[in-house]
Amino acid sequence: QAKQAGRNTWRFYDPAMQAVAVRRAMLESELRQAVPRNQLRLYYQVQVDRRGRVTGVEALLRWQHPGYGMVPPYDFISIAEESYLIVPIGEWVMETACRQLAAWAAEPYTEGLSMAVNISPLQFQQPEFVGRLETILAATGARPERLKLEITESLFMEEPDAVRDTMLRIKALGVRFSLDDFGTGYSSLSYLNRLPLDQLKIDQSFVRTLFEDNANAVICASVIDLGRNLGLEVIAEGVETEEHRDWLENKGCHAYQGYLFGRPLPLGELEPLLRESACIAGR
Ligand code: C2E
Ligand code: MG
Ligand code: MG
Ligand code: MG
């Protein structure tokens, strides 16, 4: 009987979907081991100001898998979120990023550099999040003012007031906030003013098609205006050409991140770039 039902059920299964489900389950069990087996890595992508000086980096997570090689976040962040593994993984990211930030503060050529860290909504909503953040800041000696948490609009979907309260507590530590992928979510604009934000980050989907799609050019210009009028710094992500940078600069954009200035790099490849940039800036 059960076998019969099972067989009937199977008829509605798409073998391709079955394969996806098996692959996901496998990845999840392997991801569970990623922190203890020391398979996570941080790559760093530079952020520059209008004069081209490197003012900060964004930490971007990679999974160095023994069989698949370097796995990009798009292939495992959603699995990490569904399984809550994003909580220990996010904590590893925070600790690693803060330790690096503290190390850079001691070097003249990286002094003053800020570090942006992506925070998943699930991680942010953990009751212990603020406490863990404080502990990590104290343990690593990282300056809170140099740390920037990148959150997304999806965080404000469920309990915006509770999120705002948590943000205020984090803000009180001196840590700053950037609203990542801005324009792709559904947040209400009235919120922007009530949240302790420091930066708006224009999503790369608008930036990269600036010249092909007039609607996206209008969106970029409007976000820059909006941010400036609210007293927020505006950074554009996905800046790949000089033409894009110049257009954005002309509209008043404050900062830029993208392949034009550098890809996400492992520490060893990033540091020469930072040294060179510091030389140019006369630091
Ligand atoms: P994001 O935070 O919006 O990061 C920007 C993504 O755009 C990065 O992809 C970066 O490599 C890519 N990018 C930067 N400049 C350019 C460019 O000029 N052209 C193009 N085509 N792409 C560019 P990446 O590293 O694959 O990360 C993807 C997403 O994964 C991130 O998007 C972020 O949402 C998430 N992520 C990365 N690291 C973490 C993490 O530590 N924790 C959490 N929760 N999410 C993370
Ligand atoms: Mg980001
Ligand atoms: Mg982004
Ligand atoms: Mg993005």
Side-chain angles (χ1 to χ4, degrees):
Q1 182 69 53
K3 199 170 181 185
Q4 187 61 46
R7 199 175 278 147
N8 285 338
T9 317
W10 271 101
R11 284 175 50 191
F12 298 100
Y13 263 99
D14 175 343
M17 276 177 65
Q18 171 75 2
V20 168
V22 167
R23 194 178 131 78
R24 270 187 93 86
M26 234 175 72
L27 272 178
E28 183 188 320
S29 77
E30 290 180 304
L31 192 54
R32 204 169 289 282
Q33 302 298 318
V35 175
R37 289 189 183 158
N38 193 27
Q39 292 171 350
L40 298 182
R41 304 283 180 270
L42 284 187
Y43 275 39
Y44 302 93
Q45 186 177 32
V46 298
Q47 303 179 328
V48 305
D49 66 10
R50 290 167 69 88
R51 292 167 60 187
R53 294 174 300 194
V54 176
T55 53
V57 301
E58 176 176 7
L60 292 158
L61 183 60
R62 302 289 181 266
W63 177 15
Q64 174 67 73
H65 186 282
Y68 314 135
M70 205 57 92
V71 186
Y74 287 120
D75 293 345
F76 69 89
I77 293 283
S78 67
I79 298 174
E81 280 173 342
E82 282 159 27
S83 57
Y84 277 72
L85 285 170
I86 195 67
V87 175
I89 289 175
E91 199 156 295
W92 179 87
V93 170
M94 184 66 75
E95 200 172 332
T96 308
C98 284
R99 207 179 309 122
Q100 192 54 56
L101 196 52
W104 281 338
E107 299 277 348
Y109 74 99
T110 44
E111 208 196 309
L113 215 61
S114 73
M115 173 83 77
V117 174
N118 293 283
I119 306 294
S120 141
L122 209 66
Q123 184 189 358
F124 189 93
Q125 283 155 350
Q126 296 297 301
E128 357 13 285
F129 181 68
V130 183
R132 289 298 303 147
L133 180 59
E134 276 183 283
T135 306
I136 290 171
L137 286 169
T140 57
R143 292 260 310 271
E145 302 75 30
R146 302 266 183 264
L147 181 64
K148 202 183 295 166
L149 303 189
E150 292 200 358
I151 54 175
T152 54
E153 292 159 274
S154 59
L155 182 59
F156 308 110
M157 297 269 282
E158 272 156 48
E159 293 183 274
D161 293 326
V163 168
R164 180 171 175 269
D165 288 347
T166 308
M167 283 179 77
L168 288 170
R169 285 169 61 205
I170 294 170
K171 216 29 216 181
L173 302 175
V175 174
R176 292 181 294 155
F177 282 104
S178 178
L179 194 51
D180 201 358
D181 304 338
F182 185 68
T184 61
Y186 297 92
S187 76
S188 102
L189 290 181
S190 66
Y191 251 95
L192 281 184
N193 229 358
R194 299 191 50 227
L195 297 170
L197 290 169
D198 300 278
Q199 187 184 64
L200 285 187
K201 199 165 192 181
I202 312 176
D203 190 65
Q204 55 178 291
S205 61
F206 304 120
V207 175
R208 278 193 281 134
T209 52
L210 201 52
F211 297 125
E212 291 96 77
D213 185 342
N214 186 248
N216 286 345
V218 170
I219 290 170
C220 286
S222 305
V223 172
I224 294 169
D225 268 352
L226 179 67
R228 292 187 74 98
N229 289 329
L230 291 172
L232 302 174
E233 184 183 75
V234 181
I235 184 167
E237 69 177 12
V239 181
E240 295 185 355
T241 70
E242 284 291 352
E243 289 70 28
H244 286 81
R245 196 212 74 95
D246 293 348
W247 189 94
L248 290 158
E249 186 194 29
N250 187 255
K251 297 293 177 192
C253 192
H254 300 104
Y256 317 90
Q257 183 179 343
Y259 294 170
L260 175 63
F261 308 99
R263 296 193 171 242
L265 297 169
L267 190 62
E269 287 173 51
L270 174 81
E271 286 189 326
L273 205 135
L274 293 178
R275 278 179 195 280
E276 192 188 323
S277 163
C279 276
I280 294 167
R283 253 189 281 171

